[in-house]
Amino acid sequence: MALNQQSCQVFDAVVVGAGFSGLYMLHRLREAGYSVRVYEAADDVGGTWYWNRYPGARCDIESIYYNYTFSKEILDEWTWSSRYAEQPEILSYINFVADKLDLRRDIQFNTRITAARYNEESRNWEIRMEDGTLVAAEYFITALGCLSSSNIPKIKGLDSFKGEMYHTGRWPHKKVDFSGKRVGVIGTGSSGIQAIPVIAKEAGHLTVFQRTPQYSCPAQNHPLEAEEIRKTWENYDETKQQMRYSQHGVPYGPRMRSALEDSPEERERLYEKAWQEGGLFSLTYNYNDIAMVPESNETAASFIRSKIKQIVHDPEVAQKLMPTYYYATKRPIIDTNYFETYNRENVSLVDIKTAPIMEITPDGIKTTDNEYELDVLVFATGFDAMTGPLFKIDIRGKNDVSLKDKWADGAELKTYLGLATSGFPNMFMLTGPQSPSVLSNMMVSIEQHVDWVADCIDYLREHHLEAFEATEEAEAFWSHQCRAIADMSLLTKTDSWYMGANIDGKPRGFLAFAGGVGLYRLICDDIAARGYEGFASL
Ligand code: FAD
């Protein structure tokens, strides 16, 4: 793809993606005076919250912490209606920010980027759109999202289905009518668990096809009063600091105590309290070793299993819903009436681990022991996380090496700070693999990455450094650290999308930095303060 750069537009930076990451990146760079163009496949802003319009979609981090913190003005002008905001409200928030900062004028919508190649002579990135148009930029910044490449498993007969088919991550803009219909939901991850109770209320009959039973705790969602929100942000600077230097990006953390230090009665009391309070971290934050020590983990896991047993009336169904993997080694799930839904007359559960799906037929789903007639099929089958969206673009660095080839072996995936990778100069990956991103409140991770990249670009300009890349030594060190930290926990002991295990044929390897957002920020800041140690100019 040789490029005559006189014939195409050249920007200081091209950003791909107009979700929370891309929008803030645009704002930061534009404020600093750079020419920036954002390309977005959708026809509007929002990213995750544009695409995931399925019934029940909402955030799992408290709304008051799941927003930008870079502008006190934006914070003051917005209010959330409930503890966990629903998708339409989060999308309204993103639109509000895009309007307030007048971001759309630098975003080209309906534009999918298909390739990006580093030109070693011009020291520019050449970026190609789906329609073949090329642009060039000094900096190529991916804001593609960790969870934007939806996964539909390759099941025999998929195209033969005569009814309606949806993926939660590509939900239509108009309401899907389930009333009186026979609906099948495949998948019981976060999205499935949010959607199932809502669909069940409307459907004639709902059949849930479950591969892995999940631990889920009640969200205990409730309306928020404006006063409550105002109070939370009264100590704005302090709250922000607490979030930034925490483990997961929220202004609270685990008690510094092992689950094994408390008596069974005391543990039960604390877990019960946490269950009633609800929230993503409520159970795990009772102790600091739930995700580290198998015996501690089991105390929380068995508590949730006992809750499932209490809630679900049919003992056989309850048994099928009992998870056995280490709790919190997949992203914890919170729900509203998930387990209760299995007490409804119009809901049935099919365990596809014991009776796998053989094929999709024109009329429904055939498993090894039954056939289910369906009018609507909903795939809540998640995403090709982290690397998926990057690999959908043919990204080529120095010597025409493709990123996909460089990372072909998941165990050998190498980045520096999850932000950069050697051989790909002036390319930055917001919330990239081997950063804390998916293990955190993503808003905290997003703001930190954007700020770091914007400061880094300022530094390069100030020091007249045209091109700059991570060194092989630095990325080898970082990648080793990521694996070593993950291996100290139970995170790598479970087949999860953090490990690439949800995608057939995807190489296994832990895809995030598990040391926490606070430690990560300190490391990134330290590297910047040392003149971007671990990066070399070309
Ligand atoms: P995204 O919002 O995914 O945006 C990426 C954008 O890039 C998309 O609009 C996509 O269309 C675009 N894009 C990708 N590839 C291309 C291409 N080749 N060309 C052009 N455009 C492209 N995180 C939390 O912290 N808390 C939560 O409660 C939470 N809930 C979630 C619920 C769901 C259902 C999902 C799927 C994710 C959730 N997340 C949550 C994670 C969420 O993805 C992040 O919080 C955040 O929205 C990510 O923003 P982003 O801008 O980085 O990526």
Side-chain angles (χ1 to χ4, degrees):
M1 152 173 102
L3 175 67
N4 172 4
Q5 289 193 8
Q6 270 149 20
S7 67
C8 81
Q9 276 186 292
V10 183
F11 300 95
D12 290 328
V14 156
V15 178
V16 190
F20 277 120
S21 308
L23 294 178
Y24 182 40
M25 193 75 248
L26 166 62
H27 175 64
R28 272 294 315 255
L29 291 178
R30 209 171 63 178
E31 288 294 286
Y34 300 107
S35 63
V36 191
R37 178 59 55 90
V38 177
Y39 295 98
E40 168 56 59
D43 65 11
D44 207 345
V45 297
T48 289
W49 305 104
Y50 171 94
W51 295 109
N52 290 263
R53 296 167 188 247
Y54 60 85
R58 60 174 78 242
C59 57
D60 61 12
I61 295 283
E62 283 96 339
S63 319
I64 44 171
Y65 307 127
Y66 189 67
N67 42 217
Y68 290 121
T69 62
F70 68 86
S71 158
K72 178 91 166 74
E73 197 184 329
I74 289 179
L75 214 55
D76 285 344
E77 285 180 22
W78 186 259
T79 188
W80 293 107
S81 67
S82 60
R83 183 179 182 189
Y84 298 101
E86 279 190 88
Q87 171 272 333
E89 192 176 5
I90 303 173
L91 188 58
S92 300
Y93 169 75
I94 299 176
N95 275 283
F96 155 73
V97 176
D99 291 341
K100 179 153 182 78
L101 303 176
D102 189 18
L103 297 175
R104 282 191 183 78
R105 69 183 151 92
D106 288 310
I107 307 174
Q108 186 171 316
F109 294 108
N110 297 308
T111 306
R112 183 165 288 284
I113 297 302
T114 53
R117 173 180 165 269
Y118 185 68
N119 183 324
E120 288 174 66
E121 271 170 44
S122 68
R123 296 188 164 194
N124 271 345
W125 279 90
E126 297 163 358
I127 296 143
R128 186 195 289 273
M129 302 165 211
E130 208 164 23
D131 69 0
T133 310
L134 283 166
V135 290
E138 195 171 345
Y139 305 104
F140 174 55
I141 303 173
T142 61
L144 308 173
C146 300
L147 303 172
S148 64
S149 176
S150 44
N151 163 50
I152 295 194
K154 291 180 191 68
I155 304 174
K156 187 179 156 203
L158 188 65
D159 295 335
S160 71
F161 184 61
K162 284 190 313 209
E164 302 157 58
M165 259 198 302
Y166 305 100
H167 186 284
T168 50
R170 285 288 178 276
W171 204 259
H173 287 207
K174 60 177 184 9
K175 183 177 163 15
V176 175
D177 181 14
F178 294 109
S179 50
K181 294 182 181 162
R182 296 164 302 176
V183 183
V185 173
I186 304 181
T188 52
S190 301
S191 301
I193 284 182
Q194 287 184 336
I196 285 164
V198 186
I199 296 176
K201 282 190 201 155
E202 206 186 315
H205 191 88
L206 170 64
T207 309
V208 177
F209 297 87
Q210 169 195 271
R211 186 171 64 175
T212 311
Q214 304 287 0
Y215 299 100
S216 182
C217 298
Q220 309 290 19
N221 197 17
H222 55 74
L224 280 184
E225 299 297 328
E227 181 64 9
E228 226 177 303
I229 299 174
R230 203 190 52 73
K231 264 197 171 150
T232 307
W233 287 109
E234 221 160 51
N235 299 320
Y236 171 76
D237 287 329
E238 200 182 319
T239 308
K240 207 160 93 168
Q241 289 302 93
Q242 283 168 348
M243 286 161 68
R244 289 179 166 189
Y245 291 96
S246 67
Q247 173 76 15
H248 297 111
V250 288
Y252 45 84
R255 270 195 329 147
M256 288 299 124
R257 189 171 173 85
S258 162
L260 305 177
E261 286 179 75
D262 277 346
S263 67
E265 294 73 28
E266 177 62 0
R267 276 198 306 258
E268 182 76 12
R269 190 185 69 76
L270 289 171
Y271 287 148
E272 183 59 38
K273 188 165 165 277
W275 186 268
Q276 298 308 330
E277 282 168 4
L280 197 64
F281 305 111
S282 58
L283 237 80
T284 47
Y285 275 6
N286 274 310
Y287 302 108
N288 64 359
D289 60 349
I290 301 271
M292 310 291 286
V293 178
E295 294 76 18
S296 298
N297 192 281
E298 181 53 25
T299 64
S302 61
F303 174 82
I304 300 176
R305 286 195 288 266
S306 73
K307 284 291 181 188
I308 299 172
K309 201 168 162 189
Q310 277 169 28
I311 296 169
V312 180
H313 300 160
D314 181 332
E316 257 180 57
V317 177
Q319 192 55 42
K320 281 190 204 166
L321 288 165
M322 301 272 181
T324 50
Y325 63 89
Y326 289 122
Y327 173 53
T329 51
K330 296 176 181 239
R331 188 167 172 108
I333 300 176
I334 54 176
D335 70 88
T336 302
N337 294 330
Y338 174 65
F339 294 117
E340 288 81 350
T341 298
Y342 293 96
N343 294 331
R344 295 177 66 101
E345 292 281 305
N346 70 333
V347 176
S348 44
L349 177 67
V350 176
D351 175 359
I352 55 171
K353 212 157 218 158
T354 50
I357 294 178
M358 300 285 289
E359 65 178 304
I360 293 176
T361 66
D363 299 316
I365 288 184
K366 199 189 237 177
T367 65
T368 48
D369 67 0
N370 216 337
E371 263 190 81
Y372 302 88
E373 290 195 353
L374 302 169
D375 305 306
V376 186
L377 191 45
V378 174
F379 286 90
T381 40
F383 302 90
D384 183 354
M386 317 283 286
T387 50
L390 285 160
F391 289 168
K392 280 195 171 162
I393 304 177
D394 182 16
I395 301 175
R396 288 175 185 270
K398 288 188 327 194
N399 305 317
D400 210 33
V401 170
S402 92
L403 188 65
K404 206 171 175 175
D405 288 345
K406 182 179 172 186
W407 290 351
D409 178 355
E412 285 306 315
L413 184 147
K414 285 201 181 83
T415 78
Y416 187 36
L417 303 173
L419 275 159
T421 189
S422 77
F424 294 78
N426 291 5
M427 170 179 158
F428 298 101
M429 298 172 289
L430 302 180
T431 70
Q434 298 185 337
S435 73
S437 57
V438 289
L439 300 178
S440 70
N441 170 3
M442 295 270 302
M443 294 307 294
V444 172
S445 290
I446 286 169
E447 286 192 338
Q448 187 256 338
H449 262 191
V450 169
D451 289 337
W452 194 93
V453 170
D455 292 347
C456 177
I457 289 176
D458 281 346
Y459 175 92
L460 295 175
R461 284 289 170 99
E462 277 162 25
H463 291 78
H464 309 289
L465 299 172
E466 266 185 57
F468 153 110
E469 65 169 321
T471 65
E472 284 182 15
E473 297 74 34
E475 71 174 13
F477 176 75
W478 181 254
S479 304
H480 175 77
Q481 290 297 314
C482 283
R483 273 174 220 120
I485 292 174
D487 281 340
M488 285 192 297
S489 75
L490 300 171
L491 286 164
T492 52
K493 314 283 182 292
T494 294
D495 282 345
S496 66
W497 58 258
Y498 296 150
M499 293 288 293
N502 62 325
I503 305 292
D504 288 341
K506 186 165 176 169
R508 297 290 164 96
F510 193 72
L511 288 164
F513 172 77
V517 297
L519 173 64
Y520 179 76
R521 179 182 290 269
L522 291 170
I523 296 170
C524 289
D525 289 351
D526 186 51
I527 284 166
R530 291 163 187 266
Y532 295 89
E533 192 175 65
F535 288 91
S537 57
L538 304 179

